[in-house]
Amino acid sequence: MHLLRHQSAIIHSPTNGLHYPPATLCSWNVTTQPLLWLRINIERFSLEMSQNCSKDYVDVSGLGRRCGMGDLGSYVIKRSFIDMTFATDFDTEEEGFQISVVSVGKKNAFM
């Protein structure tokens, strides 16, 4: 998906708020205009916890792989694109995640 300046998008796990299905793989590519950055707002996060996030995880380019619960916050990715992957294994399922992505100018990226 492509975001213009100050546009946003919501990315969430399948079934949005209900337990996500096992053996799932989802990928998203988010871009914005050159010279703009992307701000990631983690609004809800509940995934299976595992060592090195080897079971269920969200991997965001520029942030790395994340799993577990309650990993909320706002992060600025200092580039005009991100790749995001959500992967699950075959056992424990949790409530999933919701992340908003906002295209921001460099001057107001940290507001």
Side-chain angles (χ1 to χ4, degrees):
M1 70 185 73
H2 184 76
L3 302 177
L4 301 175
R5 185 181 196 99
H6 303 296
Q7 281 187 318
S8 63
I10 301 290
I11 298 173
H12 57 77
S13 50
T15 66
N16 193 19
L18 302 173
H19 284 80
Y20 51 78
T24 299
L25 180 63
C26 302
S27 296
W28 300 269
N29 304 96
V30 182
T31 61
T32 189
Q33 297 165 300
L35 304 177
L36 295 179
W37 290 345
L38 293 165
R39 185 172 56 229
I40 307 295
N41 301 304
I42 302 174
E43 299 167 354
R44 182 171 43 84
F45 201 86
S46 178
L47 304 181
E48 179 183 7
M49 184 61 165
S50 61
Q51 186 174 5
N52 300 318
C53 296
S54 60
K55 295 186 176 192
D56 300 354
Y57 63 85
V58 171
D59 192 345
V60 179
S61 57
L63 283 182
R65 188 177 280 197
R66 294 168 180 269
C67 62
M69 298 189 182
D71 187 13
L72 307 178
S74 184
Y75 306 90
V76 174
I77 308 298
K78 296 180 180 180
R79 59 185 181 202
S80 61
F81 66 92
I82 60 164
D83 297 314
M84 185 180 301
T85 302
F86 172 59
T88 70
D89 64 1
F90 291 95
D91 54 301
T92 306
E93 293 85 37
E94 297 291 345
E95 292 179 11
F97 69 92
Q98 179 168 306
I99 297 174
S100 67
V101 182
V102 183
S103 174
V104 294
K106 294 177 183 180
K107 290 183 180 179
N108 62 354
F110 298 97
M111 297 179 145

